[in-house]
Amino acid sequence: MGILFTRMFSSVFGNKEARILVLGLDNAGKTTILCMDCYCRPYWRCYFPNTQAVIYVVDSSDTDRIGIAKEEFHAILEEEELKGAIVLIFANKQDLPGALDDAAVTEALELHKIKNRQWSIFKTCAVKGEGLYEGLDWLSNTLKSGGS
Ligand code: G3D
Ligand code: MG
């Protein structure tokens, strides 16, 4: 599983600095998302403490590995250091044929089992930049309102 960590200084987050961990199976689209213009000054970290949010990126067209993606996701939520982190799920690669929609990814990842933290899921197509700002807007507003 790939792990990328960034502090984001984007138009969405204004001058507020947020420590956000971006996770997902390999090939999910993490690098594509982080290379977008809005992440103009990213730099990577490889530790969890003080992480305020987790962005979990799913390849919605990779139905063969959606079960593995679910297991990894719930293991991440068990991490002590990520206890208070808000969770944003990107159901990525919506442009590909057979991609699961947000409701189907919600079911496949068993998101309704998440307890005691705020989460939301957005459909994205990272290569076109679709859906990313909507998700980051939600994250920014949720962080502003005090997080989990
Ligand atoms: P990772 O960092 O999570 O491992 P990458 O994933 O960002 O490297 O993306 C893996 C591949 O998926 C890349 O293709 C990338 O262009 C593609 N990809 C990412 N997001 C989308 C999407 O929304 N739709 C489609 N169709 N493809 C996407 P390559 O060919 O460079 O390996
Ligand atoms: Mg990558």
Side-chain angles (χ1 to χ4, degrees):
M1 178 169 56
I3 296 178
L4 302 171
F5 194 90
T6 187
R7 293 177 184 212
M8 296 199 285
F9 304 83
S10 69
S11 53
V12 179
F13 287 83
N15 57 13
K16 185 177 160 68
E17 192 175 300
R19 294 173 144 245
I20 294 167
L21 192 62
V22 182
L23 299 162
L25 299 185
D26 60 285
N27 208 47
K30 298 178 296 296
T31 302
T32 308
I33 288 167
L34 288 166
C35 289
M36 285 200 39
D37 285 348
C38 66
Y39 296 86
C40 48
R41 287 157 54 193
Y43 52 101
W44 316 119
R45 290 283 185 276
C46 54
Y47 54 89
F48 290 175
N50 306 317
T51 300
Q52 292 153 279
V54 172
I55 299 176
Y56 192 70
V57 185
V58 181
D59 179 345
S60 311
S61 72
D62 188 358
T63 48
D64 287 348
R65 293 200 301 164
I66 197 84
I68 300 170
K70 178 192 79 173
E71 298 302 326
E72 296 281 1
F73 178 73
H74 287 279
I76 289 161
L77 297 189
E78 295 290 307
E79 291 282 344
E80 184 63 26
E81 294 92 338
L82 298 178
K83 222 171 145 186
I86 295 161
V87 181
L88 166 62
I89 299 104
F90 280 148
N92 194 36
K93 305 201 185 181
Q94 287 296 316
D95 57 306
L96 292 182
L100 301 176
D101 68 9
D102 45 351
V105 172
T106 295
E107 194 173 325
L109 291 190
E110 300 183 351
L111 298 182
H112 295 297
K113 287 188 175 170
I114 299 174
K115 300 276 182 258
N116 304 320
R117 73 169 89 219
Q118 289 183 270
W119 64 272
S120 193
I121 182 168
F122 289 81
K123 289 191 286 189
T124 61
C125 174
V127 285
K128 294 184 195 157
E130 290 169 3
L132 299 174
Y133 284 100
E134 289 84 349
L136 293 176
D137 258 343
W138 173 83
L139 188 55
S140 173
N141 289 331
T142 306
L143 285 168
K144 272 184 215 151
S145 67
S148 60

